[in-house]
Amino acid sequence: MWMSRDAEMTWSPGSLPGDVHSHPDRLLKDHLEGTAELALELARKHGLPVESLLLRRVAVTHDLEKAHPLFQDYLLKKRGKGVNHAFHSSCFTLDTTRNLWAAEAVRCHHTHLDDADTACRFWIKREDDLAELQSHMREIVPSWKFLVTQEEWEDFIDDLWEVKIGKEDWLSLRSLYSLLVTADRMDAIGVSSLDFDPLPKFSPMNFGKEESTPLDGWRQSVHDDCMKNAGNIDGPGLYTLTLPTGAGKTTVGLEMAHRLATKWGYGTIIYALPFISIIEQNASVAKTLFGKDSVQEDHSRAYGELTDDNGAKENSWARMSALFRYWRTPVVLTTMVQLWDAIFDPRANASMDFHRLSRAVVVLDEPQGIDPRLWDGFGRMLSFLSEKWGTAFILMTATQPHIGEGREIAPPDLDFPYNRHTYSVLPGKHSLDELPELLCDKLSVDDGSGLIVLNTKKSALKIYQLLRDRLDGPVLFLSAWMAPRHRRRIMRYLRYLEKKGNPRRKGIRHHLISTQVVEAGVDLDFDWVFRDMGPLDSVIQVAGRCNRHLNRDDPGNVLVAELTGGNGRSFCGMVYDDILLANSRDILAEEKSFGENQVPSLVKRYYDRILEGLSYKPVWRNIEKGKWGQKEDLIKKEDERRNETVFVELDRHIRPILERLCGTKWSLERLDEKKRLVRQAQQYLIEVPLKELMRWQEKVATVSTNDNIPLISRYGEEEYWFIARAAMGIIYDRVTGFVPADMYDGSDLDDPFI
């Protein structure tokens, strides 16, 4: 491959004319210099081992084609269609760096990275275009002096036919790409210098201070042992922290990450979780421990005010988070999917957070939900980044999957000191309609509060309809067919009932019927639990909500059974992978009943069996073979049917938000306002299969509301659906959320006027 040019060979954007712009309010020469300074500062801040001169040349050439008169007319006079500036800018990059991957970072900085073979073929096809390209470069930038010779060009093209590609090339390209894209976006919105806050102080939690429950003293002991072991860690690497549910994992993980980051002089802690609902819960813990200004919630429904206390627009640096979900605080709570995308997603904006992983401590909480076929490749990637960048990864869960070869930090042979619950597994399969009788027969449903977890939204809704009048006390419901605003209200009410319902306080008995949204990380406590058949780790996670805080004098009961629909098909088979289910069925059938103290050995046996004959997805092989434009999905999609975006008019706020979003022509300068409105609107959003919406549209076609607004309709040029306030109690239930048309059991539709 071509070698880099002499380090003394330089070109300055200052030679560009003073009337050439990159953006309406930004001179091109200033944008190129600003991007270069920010990229270099980012690399230094995060300790990325990139060649400074190479990075600078990438940055100062990435937009040179914008000097084209056609682009200037389009930008400043709104005439014509402009030009595709990325490719011709990359020709300048290639000329001054003699580096294929540097040129590719520029060529793709507004789109996505290509496979290495695709990149090579792109340039091979231009083998005969050198004279034309150089003529164009001289015309656009007359001061440009560093033009390759015909012989050099031919050598470069010849090398592309048999270029050797490996993981080091990927890391080099991905690093340049992340730094360039981030610095480019920063400079474009007005960031002039970086404003990273230092790692904050940590306010540790003393579990044993008051010992309000029998578990607090044990939690403090576990905490102290984990911190002692963390003190013996001699350097970054891949680690595991395997702690039982209820051991205070969140606090232990965050404090451990802080201690290690402080020890090594790192400035970043990234805490990744599987579900948005858990992030919102754990973020409050993190803000208590670190201070709210040091913690960023990064997920699709997180939004903050873009004004300060005086009403002025917030600074450009802060807008990076709002516009691009950029990790700008020292402590970031994000989703596992966002972390995965930062590493593997070839799209430009998705790569922006990649460089933040350098010299960071990354905690992966509840990673067992990752598709087992990805474990090997993901583990290799984590080890690779740890080796090259000094990143520390901590995989933290009660049911530790086999992702890489991590060193355990938790105390050896850590067992829960009490038997909080016992498991019973019913043999065979059972109809969904049998569940009420099974619960009464196998569980003491009148003894305290209960949790029932089903695998599909429809089966959960059906059980709610069957049980809501048969169980004493409030019966609540949770599923993804409830808007986030609705779900949060239910969670607040659940915590109120739980506090009132503590048997030691003789309070209110209550019950929750739910899908898997309560599976991991949700701090709820029930006296008994039912779980439809699922992967063993999922069953155990749900069981962690049974007698979680040891409020009962005797163990709680966890019942597991495989439920089927009217067609005899198991609901678990509609959701989960056959490999996971087959091994779960085998192990649970062998045990039939067991205590909590047997869980660790069962989990080990479960994961060992999964790995036998498992065919891994080529995550790591794709990196080694140059297939960088491809990305495996992190978590297996549970529902492959086409889902539609639906906004629900829970209150009067959502309609004006949607009207502003649809009725405004959004410019780049107002993009932050648009994204803020979008995030507010997402609090009213659900996703529903198209066929379910079509059934409702047909069912209510002859029904009119008092304000002549359809109960359900397309909204905003057919982009999404809208369920009107008049449809509350019909299409959308105030308790259970969206109701499929074939499950609606009311009579309101008998009246043609609502």
Side-chain angles (χ1 to χ4, degrees):
M1 185 54 60
W2 245 348
M3 301 299 292
S4 295
R5 283 243 173 157
D6 190 309
E8 295 302 319
M9 188 173 294
T10 59
W11 174 84
S12 171
S15 61
L16 290 169
D19 59 348
V20 175
H21 287 69
S22 61
H23 303 83
D25 58 349
R26 187 76 164 148
L27 292 177
L28 178 57
K29 60 182 181 181
D30 293 338
H31 173 59
L32 296 178
E33 283 289 1
T35 300
E37 291 173 6
L38 288 169
L40 289 166
E41 193 174 352
L42 285 169
R44 287 192 295 268
K45 169 69 178 178
H46 300 293
L48 267 75
V50 298
E51 183 185 341
S52 297
L53 184 60
L54 177 65
L55 178 58
R56 174 173 172 77
R57 288 176 173 175
V58 166
V60 299
T61 57
H62 82 280
D63 269 354
L64 275 179
E65 179 64 11
K66 286 187 174 182
H68 196 294
L70 291 179
F71 183 87
Q72 293 299 303
D73 280 351
Y74 170 75
L75 182 70
L76 302 177
K77 300 178 182 178
K78 308 302 180 185
R79 295 192 309 214
K81 298 181 179 180
V83 295
N84 181 353
H85 67 276
F87 163 59
H88 280 100
S89 296
S90 72
C91 294
F92 290 99
T93 310
L94 186 64
D95 189 42
T96 188
T97 66
R98 302 301 201 272
N99 186 303
L100 171 64
W101 308 127
E104 282 298 287
V106 170
R107 185 175 73 85
C108 303
H109 77 278
H110 281 298
T111 52
H112 56 81
L113 293 175
D114 285 330
D115 291 346
D117 286 346
T118 302
C120 290
R121 289 196 301 271
F122 176 88
W123 291 101
I124 289 172
K125 288 180 179 178
R126 283 145 185 83
E127 178 179 10
D128 299 326
D129 297 346
L130 179 62
E132 179 183 344
L133 292 174
Q134 290 186 340
S135 174
H136 180 82
M137 292 164 68
R138 291 192 187 97
E139 178 183 352
I140 298 302
V141 185
S143 61
W144 189 259
K145 304 296 183 183
F146 315 128
L147 301 176
V148 302
T149 67
Q150 183 66 38
E151 182 180 1
E152 288 175 323
W153 180 254
E154 291 173 358
D155 289 342
F156 169 67
I157 297 297
D158 289 343
D159 286 344
L160 294 182
W161 287 101
E162 297 182 358
V163 62
K164 292 182 179 180
I165 296 166
K167 56 184 181 293
E168 303 285 352
D169 298 301
W170 171 83
L171 185 60
S172 176
L173 171 57
R174 189 78 176 175
S175 300
L176 290 172
Y177 195 55
S178 177
L179 292 168
L180 171 63
V181 172
T182 305
D184 179 37
R185 308 309 192 251
M186 282 181 173
D187 188 82
I189 66 172
V191 175
S192 57
S193 62
L194 301 185
D195 190 23
F196 286 109
D197 292 329
L199 194 69
K201 294 182 179 180
F202 184 85
S203 302
M205 180 178 293
N206 188 341
F207 292 100
K209 183 177 181 180
E210 298 180 359
E211 295 198 19
S212 59
T213 77
L215 291 179
D216 287 333
W218 173 78
R219 289 182 179 129
Q220 187 65 46
S221 177
V222 170
H223 163 274
D224 294 345
D225 288 343
C226 289
M227 293 306 128
K228 180 180 178 181
N229 292 342
N232 296 327
I233 293 176
D234 52 7
L238 180 59
Y239 298 93
T240 57
L241 183 62
T242 309
L243 297 175
T245 57
K249 268 192 303 94
T250 300
T251 303
V252 170
L254 287 170
E255 182 172 355
M256 184 175 295
H258 185 268
R259 287 198 181 194
L260 295 177
T262 301
K263 179 179 180 179
W264 300 326
Y266 290 2
T268 304
I269 295 172
I270 298 168
Y271 194 104
L273 299 114
F275 305 119
I276 292 174
S277 58
I278 310 177
I279 294 180
E280 294 173 333
Q281 172 182 287
N282 287 11
S284 63
V285 176
K287 290 174 182 178
T288 299
L289 299 174
F290 293 108
K292 64 178 183 178
D293 293 336
S294 297
V295 177
Q296 175 182 342
E297 290 182 59
D298 171 42
H299 54 83
S300 60
R301 292 200 291 269
Y303 66 93
E305 294 298 326
L306 290 176
T307 59
D308 59 24
D309 294 337
N310 298 318
K313 182 177 286 188
E314 202 174 53
N315 60 62
S316 299
W317 170 239
R319 292 175 65 205
M320 281 296 295
S321 296
L323 293 177
F324 303 110
R325 294 181 63 177
Y326 181 67
W327 299 340
R328 71 180 185 92
T329 60
V331 181
V332 177
L333 273 73
T334 189
T335 61
M336 210 78 75
V337 170
Q338 185 75 356
L339 174 64
W340 178 271
D341 287 351
I343 299 173
F344 293 105
D345 196 316
R347 294 174 299 169
N349 285 352
S351 75
M352 291 174 61
D353 290 319
F354 181 61
H355 63 270
R356 288 297 315 263
L357 298 176
S358 178
R359 295 176 58 81
V361 180
V362 182
V363 179
L364 289 82
D365 196 355
E366 310 290 3
Q368 68 275 0
I370 297 172
D371 185 343
R373 296 173 181 83
L374 302 174
W375 289 354
D376 179 71
F378 193 33
R380 290 174 183 266
M381 174 56 72
L382 299 184
S383 296
F384 177 63
L385 290 177
S386 181
E387 173 191 350
K388 296 298 181 181
W389 280 4
T391 313
F393 294 97
I394 302 173
L395 279 64
M396 186 173 68
T397 178
T399 53
Q400 195 68 243
H402 294 193
I403 299 176
E405 298 294 330
R407 172 181 160 190
E408 182 60 55
I409 308 175
D413 304 319
L414 178 64
D415 293 323
F416 203 82
Y418 306 96
N419 190 32
R420 291 177 294 182
H421 45 259
T422 58
Y423 295 77
S424 299
V425 183
L426 296 183
K429 298 182 179 181
H430 305 268
S431 167
L432 185 67
D433 293 331
E434 298 176 42
L435 183 56
E437 283 66 34
L438 287 176
L439 295 177
C440 293
D441 185 38
K442 302 296 182 180
L443 290 172
S444 300
V445 294
D446 295 327
D447 180 19
S449 300
L451 169 66
I452 301 169
V453 176
L454 287 303
N455 285 321
T456 68
K457 302 177 188 72
K458 280 193 171 184
S459 65
L461 183 55
K462 176 67 178 296
I463 290 302
Y464 173 81
Q465 293 173 346
L466 291 174
L467 290 176
R468 60 187 171 188
D469 297 325
R470 298 176 63 170
L471 296 173
D472 291 335
V475 180
L476 286 78
F477 187 86
L478 279 175
S479 90
W481 274 350
M482 298 165 63
R485 189 180 186 89
H486 186 181
R487 289 209 304 270
R488 280 203 301 273
R489 187 166 65 246
I490 297 298
M491 289 297 297
R492 287 195 298 268
Y493 186 41
L494 272 168
R495 292 191 177 96
Y496 165 79
L497 292 174
E498 183 176 301
K499 183 177 180 180
K500 290 289 186 180
N502 188 324
R504 299 182 188 278
R505 302 190 182 100
K506 296 183 179 180
I508 302 171
R509 180 187 306 156
H510 60 281
H511 303 88
L512 173 64
I513 299 169
S514 175
T515 58
Q516 306 93 320
V517 294
V518 299
E519 199 163 274
V522 179
D523 189 13
L524 296 173
D525 195 350
F526 296 89
D527 297 288
W528 58 265
V529 167
F530 171 83
R531 175 63 162 93
D532 191 4
M533 177 62 70
L536 181 63
D537 57 274
S538 297
V539 171
I540 292 169
Q541 290 290 346
V542 169
R545 309 320 120 191
C546 183
N547 198 20
R548 181 179 181 87
H549 299 302
L550 210 68
N551 288 319
R552 293 176 57 93
D553 295 325
D554 56 338
N557 295 309
V558 178
L559 179 65
V560 181
E562 186 164 347
L563 301 178
T564 63
N567 57 3
R569 184 184 176 191
S570 296
F571 292 105
C572 59
M574 303 176 188
V575 176
Y576 294 111
D577 187 276
D578 290 340
I579 295 176
L580 304 182
L581 290 176
N583 287 286
S584 298
R585 289 188 183 107
D586 289 346
I587 289 177
L588 292 175
E590 292 167 6
E591 298 298 328
K592 293 187 176 61
S593 64
F594 53 93
E596 186 179 9
N597 58 349
Q598 295 173 259
V599 165
S601 61
L602 294 181
V603 170
K604 183 179 185 307
R605 195 193 317 170
Y606 170 65
Y607 285 136
D608 286 344
R609 290 187 182 184
I610 288 175
L611 294 177
E612 293 177 3
L614 182 66
S615 177
Y616 289 113
K617 292 185 178 180
V619 177
W620 186 246
R621 189 166 68 249
N622 284 349
I623 297 297
E624 293 184 311
K625 299 297 184 183
K627 296 182 178 180
W628 307 330
Q630 305 176 27
K631 186 197 73 166
E632 298 282 352
D633 287 326
L634 175 63
I635 299 174
K636 181 178 181 292
K637 290 183 173 63
E638 297 178 353
D639 190 345
E640 298 296 337
R641 296 171 297 179
R642 180 186 173 191
N643 280 338
E644 296 285 317
T645 296
V646 183
F647 289 100
V648 183
E649 195 175 17
L650 293 174
D651 54 43
R652 60 183 176 81
H653 299 295
I654 182 59
R655 197 187 297 255
I657 292 173
L658 294 179
E659 288 174 351
R660 285 184 64 189
L661 283 170
C662 293
T664 304
K665 292 184 178 180
W666 297 102
S667 61
L668 177 63
E669 291 73 20
R670 298 185 63 191
L671 189 57
D672 54 353
E673 179 188 357
K674 178 182 179 182
K675 291 206 170 189
R676 178 175 60 85
L677 291 172
V678 167
R679 289 170 184 169
Q680 289 177 334
Q682 285 172 333
Q683 305 303 309
Y684 301 83
L685 182 151
I686 59 176
E687 291 188 346
V688 179
L690 177 61
K691 67 178 183 180
E692 298 289 353
L693 300 171
M694 297 299 292
R695 287 171 181 167
W696 264 119
Q697 196 170 49
E698 181 180 356
K699 192 178 185 74
V700 300
T702 60
V703 178
S704 299
T705 62
N706 292 330
D707 54 2
N708 293 319
I709 295 176
L711 295 181
I712 182 170
S713 60
R714 289 280 192 177
Y715 197 100
E717 297 181 357
E718 307 295 310
E719 290 184 3
Y720 48 81
W721 292 73
F722 186 76
I723 296 177
R725 194 175 181 88
M728 297 299 102
I730 302 174
I731 301 175
Y732 191 95
D733 187 88
R734 290 289 188 183
V735 175
T736 62
F738 177 79
V739 180
D742 59 354
M743 297 186 69
Y744 176 66
D745 59 359
S747 59
D748 290 345
L749 294 182
D750 293 339
D751 184 352
F753 297 98
I754 296 176

